[in-house]
Amino acid sequence: MPGVHVVVLAGGVGGARFLSGLRAVAGPQDQITAVINTGDDLTLHGLRICPDLDTVMYTLGEGIDTERGWGRAGETWTVKAELAAYDAEPGWFGLGDRDLATHLVRTRMLDAGFALSAVTAALCRRWQPGVDLLPMSDQRVETHVVVDTPEGTRALHFQEWWVRHRAELPAREFVQVGVADARPAAGVLEAIAGADVLLLAPSNPVVSIGTILGVPGLRAALRDSPAPVVGLSPIVGGAPVRGMADKCLPAIGVPTSAEGGGRHYGARREGGVLNGWLVHTGDGADVPGVRVQAVPLLMADAAATAAMAAAALVLAEDCRSDA
Ligand code: FO1
């Protein structure tokens, strides 16, 4: 049987876990392309940091700190302490010594003129993630969060909102700075056009999947693809499994529910992107025009995550017969 090409849109921690489950159920002939959110990226101490790309690369490359879900296993923080000794701001974003090597190599290659997609491929030669790892765009897109502060309305970089303020400042709006001038990264449109299955990982629908779908041309590529599009709900039982989707969805007027998420992505036949929507067992979701199925969606361990990925592929085949 010829291999299947699965293209997955994903963010960081949830996306990385899901991709490891998908890789586990893929056959040797199958190909997986991961299109990763870069709206969380930031420049600190002169270094370009790509949290979601690194989380996926480290997770699939077996180098992730599984407790934190980000950064390297066996990490040390000597440079961080030295920076603090110099009062070198910001101190609220933890850069580990091992992790710094990734940012140094990435920044050097970007400064030499390599596109982020080429830099990512070079870094993956070390990590061998077993999937083709692509940034959503080779142009810089940065998510900023509009919040009210005692000093007035401010736009914070997503990382400052999430890491420094733990998303405690109510988000009024999310703005993807630079997205209007961005284009899908090299290889992204080709992968989507050649996909047999398209999946939206259980990542944040606003700042991860939403940011990817906001790159000009990307949403249209999904809709024009002959492949079925299946999404997995990141909201289980009315709350996000991890992360801050519940702090993001109200800002765009979407209920924090499996149904809200599915309706937000929308049915393909009505201008949205979904053919199928996987929700957690027990979560109802009426999403007109979309085939909804309930399966366990808690990525508690490798077996559960693999079962989720397999269910997504089965639903995609059911949807193919719909198309
Ligand atoms: N998250 C934190 O909560 N605190 C940190 O100090 C922190 C540092 C950090 C460094 C590199 C990296 O790749 C990720 C890091 N993260 C940290 C996680 C990051 O905020 C998230 O992975 C995503 O951006 C949100 O999904």
Side-chain angles (χ1 to χ4, degrees), residues 45 47 93 97 176 189 192 195 282 302 309:
H45 309 294
L47 300 176
F93 197 79
D97 300 323
Q176 277 73 27
L189 294 181
I192 293 174

Side-chain angles (χ1 to χ4, degrees), residues 21 70 87 123 153 178 213 242 285 293:
W70 54 266
D87 285 332
L123 294 170
T153 302
L213 291 175
R242 274 184 77 101
Q293 192 171 359

Side-chain angles (χ1 to χ4, degrees), residues 257-310:
S257 67
E259 179 168 291
R263 289 184 177 209
H264 172 57
Y265 287 144
R268 205 161 168 180
R269 72 183 192 195
E270 287 157 23
V273 293
L274 288 181
N275 294 106
W277 183 236
L278 275 183
V279 301
H280 185 58
T281 309
D283 285 346
D286 172 28
V287 185
V290 175
R291 187 188 279 259
V292 176
Q293 192 171 359
V295 297
L297 286 187
L298 294 177
M299 298 187 276
D301 54 30
T305 310
M308 253 165 85

Side-chain angles (χ1 to χ4, degrees), residues 12-13 40 49-52 54-55 58 69-71 80 92-95 99 103 158-159 162-163 166 208 244:
V13 180
D40 294 4
I49 298 157
C50 302
D52 285 359
D54 290 349
T55 294
Y58 290 157
W70 54 266
K80 183 175 188 295
W92 45 265
F93 197 79
L95 289 174
D99 196 30
H103 312 316
F158 169 80
Q159 293 296 349
W162 168 235
V163 175
R166 301 314 303 163
S208 294
M244 71 321 277

Side-chain angles (χ1 to χ4, degrees), residues 152-217:
T153 302
R154 293 283 182 277
L156 301 179
H157 186 286
F158 169 80
Q159 293 296 349
E160 182 164 7
W161 176 71
W162 168 235
V163 175
R164 185 178 196 184
H165 297 289
R166 301 314 303 163
E168 294 309 322
L169 299 172
R172 290 179 48 174
E173 186 186 358
F174 292 90
V175 179
Q176 277 73 27
V177 176
V179 72
D181 301 323
R183 295 178 307 287
V188 168
L189 294 181
E190 294 80 354
I192 293 174
D196 299 301
V197 176
L198 295 163
L199 300 179
L200 306 185
S203 299
N204 189 303
V206 182
V207 294
S208 294
I209 303 296
T211 301
I212 299 171
L213 291 175
V215 175

Side-chain angles (χ1 to χ4, degrees), residues 29-143:
Q29 306 300 324
D30 296 336
Q31 180 187 358
I32 299 171
T33 301
V35 178
I36 304 298
N37 168 47
T38 57
D40 294 4
D41 296 3
L42 74 165
T43 298
L44 284 187
H45 309 294
L47 300 176
R48 192 68 183 159
I49 298 157
C50 302
D52 285 359
L53 281 167
D54 290 349
T55 294
V56 173
M57 183 174 72
Y58 290 157
T59 300
L60 298 182
E62 316 284 324
I64 196 81
D65 178 288
T66 51
E67 278 305 302
R68 285 194 308 269
W70 54 266
R72 286 291 313 284
E75 187 59 280
T76 51
W77 307 93
T78 304
V79 172
K80 183 175 188 295
E82 290 298 311
L83 287 168
Y86 282 115
D87 285 332
E89 286 300 316
W92 45 265
F93 197 79
L95 289 174
D97 300 323
R98 292 172 186 264
D99 196 30
L100 274 169
T102 300
H103 312 316
L104 287 165
V105 170
R106 175 186 292 122
T107 303
R108 186 174 66 182
M109 289 187 73
L110 289 172
D111 290 349
F114 290 95
L116 182 57
S117 46
V119 174
T120 304
L123 294 170
C124 285
R125 279 202 286 276
R126 169 186 177 188
W127 291 103
Q128 298 294 310
V131 308
D132 296 330
L133 197 51
L134 298 177
M136 67 184 196
S137 176
D138 282 325
Q139 286 78 45
R140 286 193 182 187
V141 177
E142 287 192 6
T143 300

